Amino acid sequence: GNRKDEIMEFGTFTWFCKLLVPTLNFFHRLIPDYGVAIILLTFLVRIIFWPLTHHSTKSMKKMQEIQPKLKELQAKFKGNPQKLQQETWAMYRENKVNPMSSCLPMLIQIPVFIALFTVLRSAVELRYAPFLWITDLSEPENLFAEVLPIPINILPILMSGTMALQSYLTPSAGDPQQQKMMMVMMPIMMLFMFYSFPSALSLYWTVSQVLSIVQMWMMRRKSAHNAAVAAVTVEAPLTRPQRRHAAR
């Protein structure tokens, strides 16, 4: 009442933040620990966006598979940009690939991530809320602050490690050297950014990336299984009884 919720200054995505805070409090009522509530909220967000991220990852994998053919087209029609564009789009249609389909899901999720970022940074419920070794989810961990010149924050370090692993597992249609650079530079940059952020944000981002890694691992395992089945089918022709059974 009395507009007290405006103290939290949710900003542009206030309407969405006001949906997330009750959801966070709902999970807290189920298990009275805001760290666990953040983990459950992360699971909920990943489940909602699972189809989108799954589709995006499949699209990136297809783009990666046709990269050698695209490079052949670029070499063949180097002096004819218009013909190159036509042949490139024809290859996209032939392989049922849309370059924009891998970007659209990420664009849709941006407002949600900004709202989550705002809630975990500003929600008054997280003030002095402990979780495991963390004494206050609204502040950095600040371990050994009285002893060391720079306090130790474990979650941002874990977050950087999971980000590097996620980047390694993510299919890339670009330059491999550029991907390696991003796999190193992005985690380092995010480590510096998140090191002084509230530990609730690092907890959310780390759990979210672990779930993303699990999703990519499952997709890789499924692709490897399908490839193995296809190879066995090609190498082992059907026997006469099997052909008769298939004909029926």
Side-chain angles (χ1 to χ4, degrees):
N2 300 322
R3 299 165 62 188
K4 291 179 180 178
D5 56 331
E6 294 181 11
I7 294 173
M8 290 189 272
E9 298 181 355
F10 286 142
T12 306
F13 294 98
T14 298
W15 61 274
F16 194 72
C17 292
K18 288 183 178 180
L19 293 175
L20 290 174
V21 171
T23 306
L24 185 66
N25 289 330
F26 168 75
F27 288 132
H28 183 261
R29 285 194 296 270
L30 293 178
I31 302 176
D33 187 310
Y34 273 109
V36 177
I38 291 170
I39 293 173
L40 293 176
L41 180 63
T42 310
F43 268 87
L44 177 62
V45 172
R46 295 298 306 187
I47 289 170
I48 291 172
F49 285 105
W50 182 280
L52 283 173
T53 53
H54 182 75
H55 178 74
S56 175
T57 306
K58 284 180 65 177
S59 179
M60 286 189 288
K61 187 170 180 59
K62 286 184 178 179
M63 285 291 295
Q64 186 183 44
E65 290 171 353
I66 67 171
Q67 276 303 300
K69 296 180 180 178
L70 290 175
K71 288 182 179 179
E72 290 178 6
L73 289 179
Q74 290 169 1
K76 185 177 181 180
F77 301 105
K78 187 176 181 180
N80 192 342
Q82 186 175 359
K83 183 65 175 178
L84 174 61
Q85 186 178 14
Q86 292 174 356
E87 292 296 325
T88 300
W89 282 106
M91 183 171 291
Y92 287 155
R93 287 193 297 271
E94 181 183 349
N95 291 275
K96 298 179 181 179
V97 174
N98 185 350
M100 296 301 296
S101 63
S102 60
C103 303
L104 185 60
M106 296 305 298
L107 293 175
I108 294 174
Q109 294 179 66
I110 286 175
V112 179
F113 289 144
I114 293 175
L116 278 166
F117 179 91
T118 306
V119 165
L120 296 178
R121 180 193 64 188
S122 306
V124 71
E125 286 87 348
L126 299 178
R127 304 298 185 211
Y128 307 109
F131 178 65
L132 298 179
W133 68 87
I134 303 167
T135 57
D136 186 352
L137 284 167
S138 67
E139 295 288 339
E141 298 157 69
N142 290 330
L143 300 176
F144 307 109
E146 302 83 4
V147 180
L148 300 175
I150 300 177
I152 295 177
N153 297 326
I154 298 174
L155 283 176
I157 298 173
L158 289 176
M159 182 202 69
S160 300
T162 56
M163 179 171 286
L165 181 57
Q166 182 189 16
S167 178
Y168 172 76
L169 294 174
T170 301
S172 174
D175 184 7
Q177 293 298 325
Q178 186 178 4
Q179 185 185 14
K180 288 181 180 178
M181 186 181 297
M182 292 296 291
M183 191 172 67
V184 174
M185 295 303 297
M186 279 298 292
I188 293 175
M189 185 181 71
M190 293 296 285
L191 174 62
F192 279 101
M193 284 180 58
F194 273 71
Y195 205 78
S196 59
F197 279 6
S199 51
L201 288 170
S202 299
L203 176 62
Y204 162 75
W205 201 250
T206 302
V207 174
S208 180
Q209 290 189 143
V210 169
L211 295 176
S212 179
I213 290 168
V214 170
Q215 182 180 11
M216 290 178 185
W217 176 79
M218 289 173 62
M219 288 186 64
R220 282 195 165 200
R221 187 176 179 184
K222 184 178 179 181
S223 298
H225 174 74
N226 292 341
V229 171
V232 170
T233 304
V234 172
E235 292 174 2
L238 295 176
T239 61
R240 183 177 297 177
Q242 287 174 331
R243 289 197 298 270
R244 289 175 180 173
H245 181 73
R248 294 174 186 173

